[in-house]
Amino acid sequence: MKKFIISQINQIKLRGFVILGFKIKKLNFYLITYFISIIFIPIFFIINLLKDFRFIRFGKIPTSRIGHLAFETDLHISNTMFFEDKKVIDIFCQDFDDSSLKISNKFLLKLFKRKVIFLPKLIVYPFLNLSNLFSIFKPHIFETGDYGRRKHLYADFDPIRDVFNIIDKTNTNLDFNLNEEKRGSDFLKRVFNGNINTKFVTLIVRDSNYLKKNFKNQNFSYHNYRDSNIDNYLDACEKLTEKGYFVFRMGSEHQKKIRTSNTKIIDYATNGMRSEFMDIYLGAKCDFCISTGTGWDAIPYIFRKPILFISYSPIAQLHTSSKRFITSFKHYYSNKFGRNLTMEEIFKNNFSNFMKSEDFSNNNIKLLDTSKDEIIETFLEMENFVTKKIFENASNSLSNENFFKVYNSFLKKDVNLSSLHGDFRGRVSETFLKKNNNFVN
């Protein structure tokens, strides 16, 4: 109790009276729901008695950040449908810790509500409370990340991963209705001058501005190592437009606008076109997505779209869950040695799963973005990968086979790293391996 009180005081000191107000609200909410829990005890016993016929579970959906809302919820639905008996019925509510924050995308939440049972917090939380009081009720509670953590041992950072490759074993869970399809296609017709069959790509390049503006009382600067410069990607976008593609720059509240006269490169994120509906529709309908690894790419992810993860880190969290994924890494530049580190050096020095900016700086490492020329070649590699449907070919190139042989040898030495992966279905960019031929060997 003493440690809990001290932690609460420290949070108030760090984040001020805004967090104090939320903690008072949270205390009131829990007092109310614990009182309701007393009334719900007979109901919960009835639910427990009926478990052989209908197994009812209760859980929360994270809503304040789109990556968590999309990926964790979809992963839970897919795994439940794939692994669990049809008698399982899951009932969701909004996570209370997110209730004081803006819902990251109300339209996406609306789509999920069509798929699952979603009830008010005041109904669901009493059952969650009872599970903390009586062990007999614990099987009736789930976390949306349970399937992603089943093989995972991390305590500090606990990334939720598709460790069962469920994305390649299940169909898309979400659908648009006829009115939504018309709304989305009408938007594309306007952009494409009436040609609805025009190919298009979505591009999301992370910067820190979104978290700074939307979570002013929280310090997310430890994520800054994931940032990239949008200017470095414009030449590659030009190459895609020469092949007939439109490119939509996605995201919200970016630091920089795109500077281009090419009408096929659309700064959707900043030019006034943005809407929560189109954020989802574009991610669902694109030919493929290119991402530096950030929350919004969970949208094309859950709609089972091919994704190129470029200038990506950390290396231990390479996207291996789907055959539709290609990854190209940031360079781990050692200020001490004056060069990029090899994969062996990264793993042997325990740098492979760093997830804080200060971890890199404290170890004299600077993460370098992929060069402009390499970005161009990698974009074109991805375009070829999708156009020729190379992902339908189960076999890998010799360079990829060699990479994963070495990569897996390092993962096996640390169960915390090997538990991040199921089968190796994703690929590493051939361009990256060719241009950095000392990286593996």
Side-chain angles (χ1 to χ4, degrees), residues 89-111:
I89 299 173
D90 286 340
I91 298 174
F92 297 75
C93 73
Q94 183 187 16
D95 190 332
F96 180 81
D97 288 336
D98 281 350
S99 62
S100 66
L101 301 169
K102 177 183 173 183
I103 294 173
S104 55
N105 191 292
K106 292 178 182 177
F107 178 73
L108 178 61
L109 185 58
K110 178 181 176 181
L111 290 182

Side-chain angles (χ1 to χ4, degrees), residues 292-321:
T292 57
T294 190
W296 181 85
D297 61 41
I299 303 305
Y301 191 112
I302 67 173
F303 281 97
R304 278 59 173 173
K305 292 294 179 179
I307 304 176
L308 166 63
F309 296 96
I310 191 166
S311 286
Y312 185 78
S313 179
I315 185 175
Q317 294 185 36
L318 163 65
H319 286 274
T320 56
S321 59

Side-chain angles (χ1 to χ4, degrees), residues 2-52:
K2 182 180 178 181
K3 288 177 68 176
F4 173 78
I5 293 172
I6 292 172
S7 72
Q8 300 304 302
I9 293 172
N10 288 337
Q11 286 182 38
I12 293 168
K13 286 180 179 178
L14 179 66
R15 295 168 61 184
F17 286 104
V18 173
I19 191 65
L20 176 61
F22 175 71
K23 287 185 178 296
I24 293 171
K25 180 181 176 182
K26 186 173 183 177
L27 176 62
N28 290 335
F29 174 80
Y30 276 100
L31 288 174
I32 293 169
T33 55
Y34 268 102
F35 175 77
I36 298 173
S37 297
I38 299 171
I39 303 171
F40 279 17
I41 289 175
I43 300 173
F44 217 155
F45 272 110
I46 293 171
I47 289 172
N48 192 55
L49 289 172
L50 294 173
K51 64 185 178 182
D52 290 335

